[in-house]
Amino acid sequence: MTATTSKRRVRTAVFPVAGLGTRFLPATKTVPKEMLPIVDRPLIQYAVDEAIAAGCDTLVFVTNRYKHAVADYFDKAYELEQKLEKAGKQEQLALIRNVLPEGVRAVFVTQAEALGLGHAVLCAKPVVGDAPFAVLLPDDLIWSRGDGALTQMVEHAHATGCSVVAVQDVPREQTGSYGIVATDTFDGQSGRIRQIVEKPQPAMAPSNLAVVGRYVLSPAIFSLLETTPKGTGGEIQLTDAIAALLASERVDAFRFRGTRFDCGTHLGLIEATIRYALDNERLSDAARGLMRNALNEMGVKEN
Ligand code: UTP
């Protein structure tokens, strides 16, 4: 076994946010998908908080030239801060200051063309260098009561020294929407990946363990990405480079504790909004009431 995250601390998190977000047009014509809010904060903030909680202090955002909003969001808002300070709005001031806590640095790199997730990760190579790193796709929002999904994965990576890919069970008819893994043995939580394929049709899928948007990767992935040809959808797929990595290094599938919402889809975004509203002390009771009313009213109209 070659273990290659070599038990080094994972300090860098990469956020590939250069996709076109076509499923949310027309909203994403001007608002990047990652800036869509769940209750009071954009999707990207949830992913950033999860990475910081897992110990990352360098955040690399892979953006494109249309996504100024992401960089603006993490920039200091001097005028707004001054206004809030003058108005004595300390709570709101803390909220905008904590978007990026002290000691955490944000680096922006550009993906000139949307050539795929694998290509977006490769764009982060000059910043990541020769160390293990995390990748988080902000439209996969993971709700958990205890440790965040990435914290759990980083612990597994530190304990084993291998790369780690987050997985969850999906209904077999949905395998065509995911990367699907087969493992040697699976102890209920993790197992060494033997095979990984991008978006297989149900009949061809080696299992129903689907990859979701959290990875801890060995830097060896970069040289593999450099030679990965275009795959499914004409894009350079991260899955294909991970498949190549399996030949030389151990990569584990990891079933995290938590609930994942696919906020790249309309229903996923709605479901996440409901869950986070119900989980919010200040909003929960009122949100329940609103839902009951909506169901009653719609029910009446439908009859
Ligand atoms: P998606 O498959 O969700 O694509 O990308 P998308 O463009 O964001 O959205 P749709 O399908 O058109 O609605 C998965 C992740 O990979 C990033 C996206 O930003 C998202 O976080 N990505 C994808 C890139 O950064 N660059 C790419 O070339 C492709």
Side-chain angles (χ1 to χ4, degrees), residues 19-280:
L20 301 177
T22 54
R23 284 171 291 176
F24 273 102
L25 284 169
T28 44
K29 195 174 163 210
T30 54
V31 182
K33 177 170 69 173
E34 299 75 21
M35 295 306 296
L36 295 175
I38 301 292
V39 183
D40 59 353
R41 63 192 67 195
L43 283 169
I44 190 80
Q45 182 76 58
Y46 290 93
V48 159
D49 290 349
E50 188 184 324
I52 294 171
C56 297
D57 57 11
T58 300
L59 313 179
V60 188
F61 299 92
V62 183
T63 64
N64 64 35
R65 62 187 166 284
Y66 304 108
K67 296 217 173 171
H68 300 292
V70 178
D72 289 349
Y73 179 76
F74 289 105
D75 206 355
K76 198 170 166 68
Y78 287 103
E79 270 190 20
L80 182 57
E81 285 195 15
Q82 274 176 0
K83 280 185 182 156
L84 292 173
E85 197 140 32
K86 261 194 194 151
K89 298 195 166 177
Q90 295 304 326
E91 201 182 320
Q92 287 87 342
L93 192 59
L95 279 178
I96 61 162
R97 282 188 175 152
N98 286 340
V99 157
L100 214 55
E102 247 174 69
V104 175
R105 65 179 184 144
V107 182
F108 294 86
V109 298
T110 303
Q111 184 188 26
E113 235 187 304
L115 296 178
L117 173 59
H119 181 258
V121 171
L122 181 58
C123 292
K125 181 184 172 187
V127 186
V128 174
D130 190 29
F133 65 104
V135 176
L136 297 95
L137 308 190
D139 51 356
D140 270 340
L141 177 57
I142 301 179
W143 179 87
S144 60
R145 284 214 185 278
D147 284 341
L150 190 67
T151 298
Q152 300 166 42
M153 294 170 68
V154 163
E155 276 171 12
H156 186 78
H158 286 168
T160 58
C162 69
S163 295
V164 186
V165 171
V167 294
Q168 70 170 35
D169 302 274
V170 295
R172 194 154 265 273
E173 64 272 15
Q174 289 178 16
T175 57
S177 305
Y178 294 91
I180 300 290
V181 302
T183 59
D184 281 339
T185 49
F186 197 80
D187 67 9
Q189 186 180 54
S190 65
R192 184 175 180 162
I193 299 178
R194 175 164 39 86
Q195 190 193 1
I196 181 166
V197 271
E198 184 64 19
K199 302 188 170 65
Q201 286 313 304
M204 306 298 284
S207 78
N208 65 338
L209 269 185
V211 176
V212 305
R214 300 290 182 277
Y215 310 79
V216 177
L217 295 172
S218 142
I221 199 76
F222 289 126
S223 57
L224 297 167
L225 279 168
E226 276 162 352
T227 52
T228 300
K230 287 181 180 171
T232 309
E235 296 191 335
I236 297 173
Q237 297 288 352
L238 182 58
T239 303
D240 293 342
I242 294 173
L245 187 64
L246 298 179
S248 54
E249 294 188 6
R250 172 173 156 189
V251 183
D252 277 8
F254 186 86
R255 193 192 263 149
F256 53 90
R257 295 178 303 280
T259 308
R260 169 246 180 192
F261 300 99
D262 180 2
C263 294
T265 68
H266 296 173
L267 273 179
L269 192 81
I270 293 168
E271 195 185 359
T273 303
I274 292 172
R275 176 69 63 100
Y276 279 80
L278 292 177
D279 195 40
N280 181 309

